[in-house]
Amino acid sequence: MDAPQVQLVRTSDGGSLRVFSYGSGPGAVFAAGSLTRTLLYGRFASRLSATMPVHVYDRRGRGGSSPQPPDYSMDTEVNDLKAVLDATGSRVVLGHSYGGGIALEAALRLPVSRVAVYDPAVNIDGCLPTQTLPDLVAAAARGDHVGAVMVFSREMDPVLARVPLPDPAARALVWAASRLTREGHSWKEMVPSLAHEITLLDGTHAAADRYAGIRVPLLLLAGAHSPWYFRTIASGLAASLPGSTSVVIPRAGHSALNHPSEKILSLFRRFLGQAA
């Protein structure tokens, strides 16, 4: 995998965003999920860049970008995405999880040409499991990033949800991962932003037809092994957007873009190729 080009893009409120560009020139901008290091999308972006340049940016509160502002909202995310689109000359938006929700907002608000998302986290009719939100926010507020990740993982990991571990065992597992893995090392930095983002999702119990105003081609992918609600979200959106394409990816979990299968890559390539 070739090393990406790196640049800083200024935001409309005076902040900065670190952008990793796989290929040069206008192409697609990718909005990342809440608890995943941006560089973990590198393999995905690099392999797509043969079809179209892909620009992946550190969202606020992570990596080399500015912290989230005190008045953080979805407006912040959409304005930041616009800054990267403008800086790279791109009009295609890709997104994963929370970044998928940002991409869908961009399809409503920005002059983009097409949007593709995997497991988009939008709280259609309150289907996202935010009932444990108070525990996550409380853990983040006291600086307990291990506790916050433990709460989050129980909702996001179908295996843990199906075979729940006792609190001490789950905490020990997350603590070990936070010390022994590169991904775990980044959790402390990302947990405060995660708490703000999940809080925002809890307050957006939108109906699927909220997105009926999307007029650009839309690809909705969901993992067969991801939590069930991502498939519900994708199918609900597809039902309100007749021109969209919705596909469930066999044997794929929520983190599938970190190690993308040829099935996932081929769907994205075909979609991007139609824009080239």
Side-chain angles (χ1 to χ4, degrees), residues 2-161:
D2 294 335
Q5 302 172 32
V6 183
Q7 64 173 313
L8 286 179
V9 169
R10 301 299 295 179
T11 65
S12 59
D13 63 355
S16 62
L17 303 168
R18 183 170 63 176
V19 181
F20 301 89
S21 294
Y22 298 82
S24 56
V29 173
F30 182 91
S34 286
L35 204 64
T36 303
R37 289 187 304 120
T38 304
L39 285 174
L40 286 182
Y41 297 105
R43 181 180 288 103
F44 170 76
S46 178
R47 295 183 69 180
L48 284 187
S49 66
T51 303
M52 174 181 288
V54 180
H55 309 280
V56 187
Y57 65 104
D58 287 336
R59 293 196 296 101
R60 297 288 187 110
R62 43 185 61 77
S65 294
S66 299
Q68 289 179 337
D71 60 348
Y72 170 79
S73 69
M74 185 54 69
D75 291 341
T76 307
E77 296 287 3
V78 173
N79 290 337
D80 285 356
L81 173 57
K82 182 179 185 300
V84 182
L85 287 165
D86 290 346
T88 60
S90 303
R91 294 190 65 207
V92 177
V93 179
L94 314 177
H96 170 231
S97 195
Y98 189 83
I102 297 168
L104 291 171
E105 286 295 319
L108 285 173
R109 305 192 202 183
L110 301 179
V112 300
S113 62
R114 58 183 48 224
V115 170
V117 295
Y118 181 82
D119 279 359
V122 288
N123 207 354
I124 300 296
D125 295 326
C127 71
L128 292 182
T130 56
Q131 61 269 20
T132 56
L133 172 64
D135 294 335
L136 191 157
V137 171
R142 63 177 180 266
D144 179 12
H145 67 280
V146 170
V149 171
M150 183 177 74
V151 172
F152 184 71
S153 297
R154 279 179 164 162
E155 298 293 356
M156 297 299 297
D157 188 330
V159 175
L160 288 179

